[in-house]
Amino acid sequence: CGGSGHEAQCKNLTAAVARNFVVSYPSSGTAWEAGEACRPLAEVCDNDGTIGHAGNFGVVGLLSAVVGQTCLLTYLFLRKSRDMSKALWGATGAFAFAWVMLLGSWAAFASALSGEATCTIVDVTTRRAATATGTFGEIINGGGSYSYGFVIFSWLLLTAVLAVVVQRVLFDMKTPRTDPVKEVRVFDL
């Protein structure tokens, strides 16, 4: 591999994979005890509180969306036979609350990405445990996992759903429900 462009290519490759965080190798001690491959974030990084808040907001948003969907389906199936306006209002409130919670999850994780963190990682070149200190976004190579994108996409989708549900609430307010006229039949005996 001794071509004329070898040194330039080596510098290009090194610049492409360089990270802006400090890596240190502990000289003694145990990085982590043997056990499960999946561990709580608190055992690996020191910013587990912020990441936990993002996850909690996401879970509450999901549960609220499930409540909103249940109310909306109840409204759709029963609105012809009885007044279900309260179910529609409940769906609107639950979807609005889910919208706020997903926005909170997005904001909490985005804040964690730009915050300083210290994490125990495995150095891929030496296969040894190392301590990485820097912005959390640099340590995890940018945006994190697919779940961050799912939260953003869910929030955008919920924005559209909320707009349609609010439109239906406004429509129902302008055109009040009327009970269907019951047909009376007279039978000849």
Side-chain angles (χ1 to χ4, degrees), residues 40-165:
L41 186 61
E43 291 183 20
V44 182
C45 290
D46 65 354
N47 66 343
D48 60 306
T50 306
I51 302 297
H53 292 315
N56 292 338
F57 280 134
V59 168
V60 170
L62 172 67
L63 294 175
S64 182
V66 167
V67 169
Q69 185 66 32
T70 303
C71 289
L72 187 60
L73 288 172
T74 302
Y75 169 80
L76 288 173
F77 288 131
L78 300 177
R79 71 186 173 96
K80 297 282 185 183
S81 62
R82 60 181 78 155
D83 180 25
M84 296 302 296
S85 61
K86 288 186 172 106
L88 186 60
W89 278 97
T92 306
F95 283 140
F97 186 67
W99 187 89
V100 170
M101 291 295 105
L102 289 177
L103 182 63
S105 177
W106 180 5
F109 194 77
S111 149
L113 285 176
S114 61
E116 289 291 315
T118 300
C119 299
T120 303
I121 62 171
V122 175
D123 186 351
V124 295
T125 57
T126 63
R127 305 287 295 158
R128 291 179 45 204
T131 303
T133 302
T135 62
F136 187 63
E138 283 290 327
I139 294 171
I140 64 169
N141 295 329
S145 67
Y146 291 125
S147 58
Y148 184 51
F150 288 155
V151 168
I152 295 169
F153 178 74
S154 298
W155 180 80
L156 291 171
L157 184 62
L158 191 56
T159 301
V161 168
L162 189 57
V164 170
V165 172

Side-chain angles (χ1 to χ4, degrees), residues 17-23 116 133-135 138-139:
V17 296
R19 298 282 177 223
N20 293 326
F21 57 86
V22 177
V23 176
E116 289 291 315
T133 302
T135 62
E138 283 290 327
I139 294 171

